[in-house]
Amino acid sequence: YAFLIDSQSKRYRIAQHTDKDEKTVVDWKRSTVIKDGAEENVLEVRDEKGKMSFYIKGEFVDDYTDKDGVTSGVVGLYVSDSVPIAFSDLEIRK
């Protein structure tokens, strides 16, 4: 699963990635929590037995329950070619 934000338009979406395919599970939604420019956006995903809760800057924005029984995956980061990004205090934990 991927949790994506577009800080210029202040929107987020949730997608599922499988074998070279991306399926949107939550289409783009606006959120006033998302900051633009150089302001920091802290993203968090909590997974409790397939129910994922998504947070931006500590505020709950959405949830999604895995319907496909995904039991494994990898952690990764990706960005578009048009928007520079930076990370600080990157933390990934189980």
Side-chain angles (χ1 to χ4, degrees):
Y1 287 93
F3 184 27
L4 303 103
I5 66 166
D6 178 340
S7 61
Q8 291 178 333
S9 63
K10 297 188 176 184
R11 300 181 308 159
Y12 71 89
R13 77 181 181 102
I14 303 166
Q16 180 187 37
H17 288 262
T18 56
D19 297 328
K20 300 179 186 176
D21 187 35
E22 179 182 281
K23 176 177 79 172
T24 297
V25 295
V26 174
D27 207 357
W28 287 108
K29 290 184 179 181
R30 291 200 177 276
S31 175
T32 58
V33 178
I34 299 171
K35 301 302 177 193
D36 61 1
E39 289 191 65
E40 185 177 76
N41 284 294
V42 177
L43 307 180
E44 180 180 356
V45 180
R46 299 178 190 168
D47 180 11
E48 295 182 26
K49 298 181 182 175
K51 181 179 180 186
M52 294 164 276
S53 300
F54 298 85
Y55 298 82
I56 301 172
K57 297 186 69 84
E59 290 193 38
F60 174 80
V61 292
D62 221 318
D63 62 11
Y64 180 76
T65 301
D66 173 43
K67 297 172 181 72
D68 296 321
V70 175
T71 58
S72 65
V74 296
V75 174
L77 305 167
Y78 65 93
V79 298
S80 71
D81 292 335
S82 62
V83 180
I85 65 161
F87 297 96
S88 64
D89 300 321
L90 178 64
E91 181 179 337
I92 299 171
R93 62 181 154 157
K94 189 171 183 179

